[in-house]
Structure formats: structure tokens, C-alpha cells
Amino acid sequence: MNSLIDKYNIPGPRYTSYPTVPYWDENTFSPEKWKESVIRSFHESNAEEGISIYIHLPFCEALCTFCACHKRITKQHSVEIPYLESVLKEWKLYLDLFNEKPKLKELHLGGGTPTFFSPENLKTLLNGIFSTVDIAEHPEFSFEGHPNNTTKDHLQTLYDLGFRRVSFGVQDYDPKVQKAINRIQPFENVKNVTEWAKEIGYRGISHDLVFGLPHQNWDAMEHTIRKTMELKPDRLAFYSYAHVPWVKGVGQRGFDENDLPSGEEKRRLYEDGKKLLQDLGYIEVGMDHFSLEHDDLYQSLIHKKLHRNFMGYTSSNTQLMIGLGMSAISDSWYAFAQNVKTVEEYQKSVEEGEIPVVKGHVLNEEDLIVRRHILNLMCQLETTFNVENSFPELENALEMLKEMENDGLVEISGNEIKITEAGRAFTRNVAMVFDLRMMRNKPETRIFSMTI
């Protein structure tokens, strides 16, 4: 295994999209083309599966130094109402593109820290959205809660509005690790919010754990997993720490790179962590995710309905996902668009009646084919492609896959490629084989985190 880690531990994307953001072709993109793709996708999908909305709530009271998300650090809660008013104004700009009422299938509140906002203000935001849509059957409404500031009132208010899933960011319980990442979070806080959520009736409680953090070792990781098992969440995200300190604003400078586990040590954290989770009854679903057998995420996997987008893995699949808020990313299937990255720019654009996109990408025929293969690999751990009817560069993919087959990472049978159990840890590497845009334009500087 160590030799495989040395061989395959290279920078690579997490593939929440294809093409990945660094390879978006902004020369072919415009706000007008984005609107056209949204209208097309809305009319193709609204009557059937409905649409998804992602709302980015960027404020945090303190900077966690492991975080690579776009956020705004402030303790001034006077920012809440003006920001949420802007979100509703942006949503109105999208409503103006549609000639019928949207059917809302999926809604996620991400951050930042969504529970930075008061329950009352979140209720006002959501009622503003809900008054303009029809709610689909069996909707999937979820939010990210910070254990240190999520109150029982937050949980009850959102539950009463239809939310049934909540994800709590745990990361690690070791005090030394918590100090390094500036995330001091006692177990009691996580225990309280988890038990409140269960008591209220949430059926999709998730905890986020991260391996590869500074000063992390197996003793700390095992302790974190066993403490997590005392609370028995329905699902777990077991993320690899993405070290990208060169990205402006991420704040990953609270520790020295020498404090990070080596590639071999980090892989052991994952492999031993995975084994312990499985011994405790959790099943690996997709990449970095585990769930109990009753959870919708596992049920979606076995029924081949698992999907992956900018919100991560999801058990529901909509063609159109509208991202609202500063830096939010939208996906119409035919195009991607990202909003401006500061609160001030965002609010100014919305006030001027403009959908606040700053960049994007219109997918061509090749992109759509490659995207489907990568989605298949990330969600189902398999795909089928015909080299003869494919793009010339994909012939090279077959040679690379044969090498991966020799290493025991994939199985090739005719036109079918399956990722093996041993290859699960290298799913990103297998997907990279199909990444034509990266293949043609290999970066001269490091732009992705390491795959392992």
C-alpha cells in the first residue's frame, strides 16, 4: 500500500463538478448564456424532479484555520438582515426568468456558519423562499450547524420549516489539534446538539470528521471516532484535509506544514479509521462518506440514485441547482456559474438588479460526456465507455487504467471499468484519467490538494 501511496498521492480535484473550477473557459461564458441555460434546464426539469437551491451564509464569528471556504469573519450580527434581504432579491431575479412556479426538491444552507444567523432571521429568509415555490413530495432540506452556537431553537425552527437533515462539523476532539485549527469545541457541545436533533425528530444527522489535520495521529483519530460512536449519527463525512494555503483568504496558516501527517501517516488515519467505522456498523458510500444501513445515502447507493454536486453527495438528483449568496455556485447541467466573492460586491450587484455571477463555464458536448463518466465513477464506482466512439485522448485513458488494473485499483471488463475495494481510496485518481481538460492543460503550479 505504501508504494501505491507514493505513486498516486498527487494533486487532484475532488470532482464536485466537471470541468473543475480552474478549468472553466470564461471566454465562452456570459451572464446572458447563463440565463439561457437556466431557462432551458428549468423547463426541462421543473415539472419532473423539481429544482435545488443552495444558500451560502458566509459569516463566522472566528476563523478556523483548516477551512478553505469563502467566508466573512465578524461578531457583528447587524449584518444578518441586510444580507438575507439581498439573498431574497437575488432569488427574485431568478424567479423573473421562469414563467411558472418552481417546484423545490432540495434546499441546503451552507457556510460559513448558517447558525450564525438567528432562528428568527432564518425563518424570515426561508418563508420568503417558500412563498414563491411549490414543495415537491419528499423534499430534502438540510443545513450545516456549528455545535458551539446551534441552539435548540435553531433546530426546532428549521424542523418546523421542513428540515430533516443536519450536519455538525466535529473535525477532531483532540485539544492539541483543536488549538492548531482554532476550533475549540468540547464533546459536550456536540452531544447536546445531536441529542436535541434526535429528540426533535431529525432523521438524517451527520457528523463531519477530518483526517490529516496538524498534530493528528492514530490515537487522536481513534478517540474521535469512538466518541462519535457514543452519539451514533446516521451518517458521517470522513474528509481528507485539503491543504491549500496558497488560496487567498483560506487562513490555513495557523500551523507549520511540518505539523501535518506525512502521506503514509495520513493514509493510515483513513484506512484504520475506515476499518473502525465499518466494524462499528457504518458502510462506505461514495468517496469520504459513510452511513448506517437505514440512511437514505446508503439506500441511494444500492439503488444507483446517488448524486454528487457542489453540495457533496446527495440522495436526490435535480438537473438545476441555483446557488444564492456570496460566492455560491450554480449548476444548470449545461453550464456553471459562480457569484462574486465579497459581501459588498454581492449586495451591490443585487441592488442593481443583476444576477451577481462573476465567472462560469458553458459545457460543450465533450464536457457533458466526460462529466457523466466522472459522475458515474464518483457515485457508482463504475462507468462504461466505448473508446471507438469517444474522443482521441480517451484512448490514452485506457492505457492508464490498465496500469491501475495492474495495481489492483480497477477492474476492466470489455467497456466496463469498476473501482475495486482497494481502489476506493484512489477514486479521485481514477476520475482524473478521464479529465481531458486537465490532461491538455497540466497546471504549472499546484492548484489542488493532494489526493491522499
Side-chain angles (χ1 to χ4, degrees):
M1 175 61 80
N2 290 346
S3 61
L4 291 179
I5 292 170
D6 292 340
K7 181 176 181 178
Y8 290 105
N9 190 23
I10 59 175
R14 291 180 181 269
Y15 291 112
T16 49
S17 74
Y18 180 85
T20 54
V21 176
Y23 291 101
W24 285 1
D25 185 354
E26 296 181 48
N27 294 322
T28 63
F29 178 84
S30 69
E32 291 70 30
K33 288 182 179 178
W34 167 241
K35 292 176 188 176
E36 289 170 6
S37 77
V38 168
I39 293 168
R40 175 186 177 186
S41 188
F42 178 81
H43 290 309
E44 287 178 355
S45 62
N46 186 55
E48 298 299 325
E49 69 262 30
I51 71 168
S52 297
I53 298 176
Y54 170 81
I55 303 178
H56 185 62
L57 301 172
F59 300 109
C60 300
E61 289 194 344
L63 177 65
C64 301
T65 56
F66 70 95
C67 177
C69 300
H70 294 287
K71 63 267 180 184
R72 173 64 61 87
I73 308 302
T74 182
K75 294 184 183 295
Q76 302 301 316
H77 286 262
S78 58
V79 300
E80 291 186 35
I81 292 175
Y83 183 81
L84 297 182
E85 287 175 345
S86 295
V87 170
L88 289 173
K89 287 176 183 176
E90 183 188 5
W91 174 235
K92 175 64 165 58
L93 295 174
Y94 277 104
L95 287 172
D96 290 343
L97 299 179
F98 311 142
N99 60 7
E100 59 184 276
K101 208 172 189 181
K103 181 168 70 174
L104 182 59
K105 175 66 175 177
E106 187 176 21
L107 172 65
H108 183 71
L109 307 181
T113 306
T115 47
F116 172 96
F117 292 77
S118 72
E120 296 77 18
N121 286 337
L122 290 175
K123 183 177 182 179
T124 298
L125 166 70
L126 293 164
N127 280 334
I129 299 285
F130 294 158
S131 66
T132 65
V133 302
D134 291 325
I135 306 297
E137 281 190 76
H138 311 299
E140 295 284 344
F141 294 170
S142 58
F143 72 99
E144 296 165 17
H146 192 316
N148 286 357
N149 67 13
T150 299
T151 64
K152 196 169 186 179
D153 195 13
H154 277 113
L155 291 161
Q156 188 67 61
T157 297
L158 292 171
Y159 183 89
D160 291 344
L161 289 166
F163 285 73
R164 295 295 181 268
R165 301 198 174 284
V166 56
S167 174
F168 296 118
V170 174
Q171 326 324 335
D172 191 287
Y173 286 119
D174 184 84
K176 188 175 182 180
V177 175
Q178 289 190 357
K179 183 178 179 181
I181 64 174
N182 196 36
R183 180 82 172 211
I184 308 302
Q185 186 169 269
F187 174 74
E188 285 303 312
N189 291 4
V190 183
K191 182 173 186 286
N192 286 339
V193 292
T194 301
E195 290 182 348
W196 289 338
K198 288 181 178 180
E199 177 188 327
I200 288 168
Y202 283 83
R203 56 176 172 77
I205 302 169
S206 177
H207 286 189
D208 292 351
L209 308 181
V210 179
F211 64 93
L213 292 169
H215 307 299
Q216 207 173 43
N217 56 35
W218 172 243
D219 288 343
M221 190 81 263
E222 182 181 16
H223 172 72
T224 292
I225 292 174
R226 291 196 181 278
K227 293 299 287 183
T228 300
M229 289 309 99
E230 292 180 25
L231 305 177
K232 205 72 171 179
D234 301 292
R235 64 175 72 166
L236 285 161
F238 192 37
Y239 290 120
S240 167
Y241 166 60
H243 191 56
V244 288
W246 57 86
V247 177
K248 183 179 178 182
V250 300
Q252 292 182 339
R253 292 177 176 82
F255 43 84
D256 189 278
E257 288 208 19
N258 294 322
D259 296 329
L260 299 173
S262 67
E264 181 181 332
E265 292 169 330
K266 186 178 180 183
R267 181 44 41 187
R268 188 205 165 189
L269 293 177
Y270 174 75
E271 293 295 342
D272 289 358
K274 170 183 169 179
K275 184 177 185 305
L276 179 55
L277 287 169
Q278 291 174 328
D279 289 345
L280 294 167
Y282 286 82
I283 304 162
E284 190 170 21
V285 177
M287 182 184 73
D288 304 335
H289 283 65
F290 295 78
S291 79
L292 296 174
E293 192 169 330
H294 71 261
D295 190 77
D296 284 352
L297 207 61
Y298 174 70
Q299 294 300 318
S300 296
L301 174 69
I302 62 175
H303 292 109
K304 295 191 179 295
K305 292 183 178 179
L306 191 66
H307 184 56
R308 184 170 175 82
N309 57 27
F310 289 106
M311 295 186 280
Y313 284 107
T314 172
S315 55
S316 61
N317 180 2
T318 65
Q319 183 171 307
L320 177 61
M321 184 187 79
I322 299 295
L324 303 175
M326 176 204 100
S327 81
I329 299 179
S330 300
D331 177 2
S332 69
W333 184 259
Y334 303 109
F336 301 118
Q338 183 169 27
N339 283 351
V340 293
K341 296 182 182 179
T342 69
V343 173
E344 292 78 13
E345 288 178 288
Y346 171 70
Q347 292 179 320
K348 181 175 182 291
S349 293
V350 172
E351 285 300 322
E352 293 173 352
E354 298 174 1
I355 291 178
V357 297
V358 66
K359 66 178 181 179
H361 178 89
V362 178
L363 284 79
N364 59 28
E365 179 187 358
E366 175 190 285
D367 291 335
L368 290 167
I369 291 172
V370 173
R371 180 183 192 184
R372 178 56 64 191
H373 287 310
I374 288 178
L375 260 179
N376 289 344
L377 290 166
M378 299 301 288
C379 296
Q380 310 303 337
L381 301 174
E382 62 183 43
T383 195
T384 301
F385 80 106
N386 190 328
V387 175
E388 290 76 19
N389 297 332
S390 197
F391 301 98
E393 291 94 337
L394 284 182
E395 294 182 18
N396 299 329
L398 194 57
E399 292 305 312
M400 296 167 70
L401 287 165
K402 285 178 180 175
E403 184 175 354
M404 289 183 167
E405 185 177 39
N406 291 336
D407 288 332
L409 307 185
V410 300
E411 294 175 351
I412 303 172
S413 177
N415 293 332
E416 189 173 275
I417 294 92
K418 287 188 176 182
I419 297 175
T420 64
E421 186 63 32
R424 278 179 173 264
F426 304 91
T427 298
R428 289 164 70 182
N429 299 82
V430 179
M432 285 168 65
V433 169
F434 290 85
D435 192 333
L436 295 182
R437 287 188 177 267
M438 181 187 289
M439 201 181 299
R440 293 169 186 153
N441 301 283
K442 291 188 177 178
E444 295 181 4
T445 58
R446 187 172 160 191
I447 59 176
F448 297 113
S449 63
M450 304 299 278
T451 56
I452 299 172

